[in-house]
Amino acid sequence: MRCPNCAGETVSCRENHQYKECGLDYVTLVNVEVIACQACGARGAVIPGLESLHRVIARTVAQLPWCLDGREIRFLRKYLGFSAADFANALATRPETISRWENDKANMSESMERFLRLMVFNQKPAEAYPKEELARRHERRPKKKPAAFLFSKKGSRWAPDRAPASPRGRPLALVARA
Ligand SMILES: [Zn+2]
């Protein structure tokens, strides 16, 4: 494969890739193929199975016990296939409100947030996201969100991976592995 920038020779290696392209800078994909140009230094990750990957990221984000921040709301909205205007319609609010949420200028109400989380699990919301869990998440929300969430692919499926523990016992990251 030739470099799309300079047509130089490329080499392929496998490494962990911080998947900033999804808008969430804490998502890391474990052991994916990265193509690097030997001439200009351009690098690109090869990410197969995007649909499965985005599903597991969305479900992970939708189950986080912390309030959704702007970039998470934007990721989930896009995952659900909504434009900002359609999303405003779906939530019976105004596009300006969506913009304030996504730019961290205003917090979603708890009910709006819960509805968004449920939409991510809309195939089987009752099973996938039971009421008791929802209530508990709001009551006992851990103080600190991990700095990274890792996902890896085994075979054809992406899945969360378990995080390495920090010296103090708190996970350094939530990791995903299929
Ligand atoms: Zn190049």
Side-chain angles (χ1 to χ4, degrees), residues 68 70 72-78 80-95 97-99 101-102 108 112-113 115-117 119-120:
L68 296 174
E72 291 163 344
I73 295 166
R74 183 180 294 114
F75 175 82
L76 294 180
R77 169 175 66 75
K78 290 182 174 176
L80 293 167
F82 286 119
S83 68
D86 289 344
F87 192 47
N89 262 334
L91 297 181
T93 186
R94 292 173 303 166
T97 306
I98 307 295
S99 168
W101 291 338
E102 294 189 356
M108 264 184 151
M112 288 283 194
E113 198 186 288
F115 184 50
L116 173 57
R117 290 171 189 266
M119 279 197 284
V120 173

Side-chain angles (χ1 to χ4, degrees), residues 3-8 37-42:
C3 171
N5 291 340
C6 73
C37 174
Q38 293 182 300
C40 75

